[in-house]
Amino acid sequence: RPMASSSAVLSLSEAGISPQVGVPPGEDVLDPLFAPTKEDALLVIDVQCDFCSGGALEVPKATDIIPVVNALVCRFQHVVFSQDWHPPKHSSFASQHAGRKPWDEVTMSYGKQTLWPDHCIQGSAGSSFHRDVAIPENGMVCRKGCNPQIDSYSAFFENDGRTSTGLEMYVQQLGVKRVFVVGVAFDFCVRFTCQDAATKCGLSVVLVSDGTKPVGLPGSVDATNRGLADAGVLVRGARELGSLS
């Protein structure tokens, strides 16, 4: 059974984040017939400054997804933004392992762990959401990676696979049955959010393919495609979503 939550799903005011308009939604990027219901939620994964151009852990072309993200945000009643929220000296940082460098893989108590540059440190400019992302007043925030000893790729569970972030309970309380997922990085946090939603939370999952970008480590994209297929995750472009309404 899942362990107790190490974080929580927060309102914008609880998280100290202001709503923002962002850039206009992309024209013609979304099927005009797409009409999500109250049983659908949009999960926007880690569209933070450190993962965007010039950030500490830049995901190539991450900002290219923002017009698609913003077009989707406008359509949903329920929108949750996950936020990587690491304390300084987090155990997933290569800087905390003598003789190691970013992208090395080590074994932690909970299994294999990729080491990263220091990034998304709590309260830093790099941890903030990118200014171009639309954040509505009723948007919610799910912070992850808060435990200094365990990383958290998934927005639902930490990398031990057991410790909940609180997101599963939140969507259950809303009566959500299906989640649409966008954000970065496709081959890490997006992948494991989708897999956990499908295999551990019993949700129907749609990954919006043009709303995500990968880090692209050796073999990571192929492994992600296999993992998503095995989990039964539906992958669709934003222009193909009308049939899912």
Side-chain angles (χ1 to χ4, degrees), residues 110-123:
Y110 50 83
K112 292 181 180 179
Q113 171 69 50
T114 299
L115 297 180
W116 307 107
D118 290 25
H119 67 280
C120 295
I121 294 172
Q122 295 174 6

Side-chain angles (χ1 to χ4, degrees), residues 36-41 77-78 174-177:
T37 74
K38 64 181 181 180
E39 293 187 345
D40 294 321
Q77 179 178 342
H78 308 301
L174 291 176
V176 165
K177 302 291 195 301

Side-chain angles (χ1 to χ4, degrees), residues 117-165:
D118 290 25
H119 67 280
C120 295
I121 294 172
Q122 295 174 6
S124 68
S127 70
S128 62
F129 292 116
H130 194 278
R131 65 182 181 274
D132 290 346
V133 178
I135 302 178
E137 290 186 2
N138 66 340
M140 303 295 285
V141 177
C142 176
R143 286 176 167 161
K144 61 189 184 66
C146 310
N147 184 330
Q149 299 305 318
I150 308 176
D151 204 1
S152 185
Y153 295 156
S154 168
F156 287 97
F157 296 94
E158 294 183 355
N159 284 8
D160 62 1
R162 300 174 60 214
T163 306
S164 171
T165 64

